[in-house]
Each structure stands twice: as C-alpha cells, then as structure tokens.
Amino acid sequence: MEGFGILSLVIFLPVAGALVALLVPRQMENFHRYWAWLISAVTLLASLQIYNGFSGNTMHFQWRESVEWLPALGIRYQLGVDGISLWLVLLTCFISFLSIWFSFHVKDRVKEFMIWLLILEGAMIGVFCALDLILFYVFFEATLIPMYFLISIWGGKNRVYSSIKFFLFTFLGSIFMLVAIVALYFISRNETGEGTFDLIALQALAADGRLAPGALGLWLFAAFALAFAVKVPLFPLHTWLPDAHTEAPTAGSMILAAIMLKMGTYGFLRFAFPLFPEAAVQAAPFLMGLSVVGILYGAIMAAVQPDWKRLVAYSSVSHLGFVMLGLFALNHNGLTGGTLQAINHGISTGALFLLVGMIYERTHTRLFEDYGGLKRRMPMFATLFLIIMLSSVGLPSTNGFIGEFLAMLGAFQAGANENTGIPMWMPVLAGGGVVLAAVYLLWMFQRVFYGPIKNPVNERLRDIKPWEQAIAWAFVVFVFWLGLYPKFFTDKMQTSLNAVRHQTIQPPGARPAWADVRTIDINQRGDVVVVERNDPNDLGNWTEVAVRVPNEHQPQRIAMGGGE
C-alpha cells in the first residue's frame, strides 16, 4: 500500500520513545526505566497485530508499505514481511522487551542506556522489514551505533577494545555489500532503462537470469556473503564475537546473540540466495565447509573457557554453524531447520546470557573457579539454568532439538545426493558438534552448581527475585512451545522458504518472482503454481490453476551447479 502502516509504527515507536526520553532530565532514572519498558511493551503488542493479519498461504510480502523517498535515484521507502521475517520481527520485539526489563539493574547513566536500547530495537526491526536495498543498508548499519556505545560505555574492563573491534569488523564487511548494491543499480539500469534498488524488481531480473550471471554474479554474491558472514559470524570471521559478548552488558549480550547475529542468516535468505542463485549454488559446498569448521571449532573453544560468558559466546559460534549448515543444504528440510534453529538460538542463547547476567550482578565474577555448590543456595536459579542449558544441548522436546535435527537431516540429504557437490563427510563431522555441546555444557553445570561452595562470599547468596524469575520463565515457555509444537511456527514460514529454495536452485525462467503477485505462488506441496487471486487484499486467498514447476528440484540443481 502507499503510505505508512503497522510496520512503520513498530519500527519507529521505539525511536519516538527514545526522542521523548531525551527531553526528560537524567536524574529521573525510574522514569527512564519504566518509560523504556512501557514503549517496548507497546511495541511488542503492536507487533502481534502483524501476526494476526498474516497468511502463511502465500510466498509474497504482506503488510506492504511504499513511499517516495529519493525517486531520482530509484530509492523508495519500502517495507514488507513474509514467513521468514515475520518471526524475526516478533523475536526482536520479545527479546528487546525482556532486555529492557532486566536492565532495571543498570545504575550508571540510566537515561542514555535506555535510549540506546530503544533506538537499537527500531533499527533491528527495520532490517527485517526493508524491501529496498539502500533502506536495508541504512538500517543494517544503524544497528552498529547503539551497540557500539552499549559496549564501550557500559561494558567490562576491555570494553573500548571490544567495541572498536566489533564496529570495524561489521562495518568494513558491509562496505563491500554497499559497493555490490550500487553495482546492482547500474545493472538494472542497463537491463530495464531505469536503475532501481527495489529488491522485488531486482529479484525479477534474477528470476529471468538477467541480473548478474556468470563471474560477475559470483563477485557480487561474495560481497553480500562477506557482510553477512561477518554478522553471523561464520568462521574465520568470528573473532570479534567472543570479545564483544564478554565485555557487553547483559542486555547487549542478549540482543547481540538473539537478534543481531540473525541479521546475517536472514541476509543470506533474503538477498544473497534470491539475487545470485547460480553463485549461491556454486558457493554452497565451500560455505557449508566453513560452517562445519565453525561448529567444531566453537565447541572445542567453549570447552576450554574459564569464563561463563566466553563459554556461551563460543557455543554461539558453534550453534550458528548448524543454522548455516541447514541453509547451505538448499533443500526443504535444511532451510526449514536452519531458519527454525535461528529462532531457537535466539531463545536459548539469549536466556543463557540473561542467567549469566543475573549471577554476575550478585557476585561480579564470571570465572568458574569462583563458584561451586550454587544449587543449594539458589535452587530456582539452578532449575531455570538446567532447563535452558538442556535446550541449548538439543534435548528432545526442547526447542534446540527440532531445529538442529532438521538442519542435520537437510545436510545429510544434500550429502547423499551427488548432484549437490556437498560431500557426506561434512554433515558427519558436524554431528560431532552435538556431542561436544553436551560435554562442555554439562561439565560447566557440574562445576558451578554441584560440589562444595569454593567462595565463602557465595554462602550469603539468595535466590533470584520473582521479577527476575518472570523474565526467565518467559524464555522457558518458548523452549517447550517450540520444542513440543514447532508446527505453529513452521506453518507460517514454509511457503516463503519454498519460494527462496526455488528461486535459488531452479534455472532461469522457472524461478518464481516476488513481482508476479497476481499469477504465481507456492502451494502446500512446495510446487510453483499459476494462480487466480480471489481477493486482491488477501494474498493467501487464491485458486490453483496449474503447476508451473513441480517440487522436484534436484535435476534443476544439476544444471545450476555446473553439470552432471
């Protein structure tokens, strides 16, 4: 639709709340705490309206908004969500609300802290809604500024080094993406006579094989992939993450792990795969190999850490490797598992950083050697930590299991099919990461919660407060909801993931285009179908006319991958 709507409200409500807070004296610390909490709560409620009106029966973007921005340059303010971005928007609002709530612990410069959190929330939501490449880049880079200040001002003793390292890694990686975005503008102008940064229009060119075939597409894919690989982070571009996590305040670590890292995985699904399908298929074995290395490397490094936060940080590198493993399988199970595991990782790792922050606020140490016997002093904390830890391990019936299972299944299917170019040893080695995760997390739990109390100061510890328990139990609800009934979440994303899969693995002319709103969609079997729209205002209400591309994709992938 022309004009602003619910997506703009959800993006800019936190920003407006931050502007109001600027006018209030810093001495009114309780006002700033409760104001930021209220704004994030209202934003979360508003985001639920996006879900209420969302149909999982279409590949096309819903809640579209489009406004002239810089027409002379082909730039528009365009927003929309599909089944992939829907859950990431909701996750962002949920994690931001809980992060701000826990930040009531913050005592230093409360006003500035809450303002940066609100601005960061709005920028992250914008990343998952933007349908114009320049608008996406603006939101993508805007998230760096609040996180930089959150780490550099409220972080640990090495906060300046960690914040600069975080900023430089992510900013420099994105510069190459900006160059590729500008290149796409000139390519579209050569093809159509009018340059554009519109994602939907550019993907339509890619669907016909006219955007960037051959070596040019491989270079442009590499530029986008570099920016997203740094953000994930994918080995060996991960070195900024443990430092950033270790020094960041608890809210910063929660948001960084649960949301900002997903901007990288989302970028591959939304931009790199649909715009450069040939290059994506060619690069899939290499990138899956890096994912496997990241899984094993992150797990081994986590096992030797003496610090709670660094252990969780390296485990994050390992678990995100499973997300990328599923995505690069480029089949239905892999894409579903990778996307679902991205959400699961946001819940489990966000909760782990929350619980580590709770104990740190009481003891001001994160070293394992300073603990022991916490179960006797803090039984509720120990119970919650055990549940979240087991979800991170991937215990069946918790959220961590189904995502990793589907991602691994998709990787094994890709390895078993010789047409993909992915060797079977990759998913086999990746399976070792599951075992290692159980080893280092259970070992950590035993050292911290069992045995004698090593530090006499811990004899005076009291269990976490009711309001802290409420925050932690909110995570536990989703641990079992996602674990026991994942269909609630996968139903909304299936059609969008099938669209991305077809857009990537099919040859030119058979790829579905987001621009074909009236005539093309994906059915529940995963076929690309010709449709008749029964209600132009309800994209999920259509009648199937004919199957255009059946859900048998491996032969096409041979052609895409460079021969049999």
Side-chain angles (χ1 to χ4, degrees), residues 59-314:
M59 61 172 272
H60 295 288
F61 294 100
Q62 300 170 58
W63 299 102
R64 289 279 305 275
E65 300 177 24
S66 182
V67 178
E68 290 284 358
W69 188 12
L70 296 171
L73 298 176
I75 303 173
R76 293 183 65 88
Y77 174 85
Q78 290 197 98
L79 304 175
V81 293
D82 67 349
I84 301 169
S85 52
L86 169 70
W87 293 116
L88 292 171
V89 170
L90 295 175
L91 181 66
T92 301
C93 295
F94 175 70
I95 296 295
S96 297
F97 170 70
L98 296 183
S99 300
I100 289 172
W101 192 1
F102 181 75
S103 296
F104 281 23
H105 274 298
V106 174
K107 301 295 189 292
D108 183 38
R109 303 176 72 171
V110 175
K111 173 182 176 177
E112 292 92 332
F113 192 88
M114 296 301 175
I115 286 174
W116 284 126
L117 283 181
L118 289 173
I119 294 174
L120 179 59
E121 179 180 6
M124 291 187 299
I125 297 171
V127 167
F128 300 126
C129 296
L131 298 182
D132 181 278
L133 267 64
I134 293 296
L135 182 64
F136 168 78
Y137 183 80
V138 169
F139 282 128
F140 193 78
E141 296 298 274
T143 61
L144 300 184
I145 300 170
M147 185 56 71
Y148 168 81
F149 284 110
L150 287 170
I151 297 174
S152 64
I153 297 175
W154 292 275
K157 61 180 180 180
N158 294 322
R159 59 185 179 272
V160 175
Y161 167 79
S162 297
S163 59
I164 292 175
K165 188 175 182 180
F166 156 76
F167 188 90
L168 289 178
F169 261 77
T170 51
F171 179 74
L172 291 177
S174 302
I175 289 295
F176 294 97
M177 180 174 67
L178 179 60
V179 173
I181 288 173
V182 174
L184 290 177
Y185 173 86
F186 289 104
I187 291 172
S188 65
R189 191 174 69 175
N190 290 338
E191 290 292 333
T192 66
E194 184 177 357
T196 183
F197 295 101
D198 183 348
L199 171 64
I200 295 174
L202 291 170
Q203 192 273 322
L205 291 174
D208 292 334
R210 300 165 54 201
L211 186 61
L216 176 59
L218 195 59
W219 281 106
L220 295 179
F221 172 82
F224 275 81
L226 177 63
F228 300 142
V230 170
K231 188 70 76 174
V232 170
L234 196 62
F235 180 92
L237 303 172
H238 67 284
T239 58
W240 62 270
L241 182 65
D243 293 325
H245 269 318
T246 302
E247 303 303 326
T250 299
S253 292
M254 290 172 63
I255 291 173
L256 186 60
I259 308 300
M260 291 189 68
L261 305 186
K262 309 310 176 299
M263 290 161 50
T265 61
Y266 172 79
F268 277 103
L269 285 170
R270 175 63 70 241
F271 300 96
F273 290 174
L275 294 182
F276 314 105
E278 292 94 345
V281 170
Q282 293 177 42
F286 172 72
L287 292 172
M288 183 180 281
L290 293 181
S291 302
V292 172
V293 175
I295 290 170
L296 299 175
Y297 171 84
I300 293 170
M301 290 299 295
V304 299
Q305 297 305 311
D307 179 302
W308 285 40
K309 258 193 157 183
R310 290 190 75 84
L311 183 147
V312 178
Y314 276 108

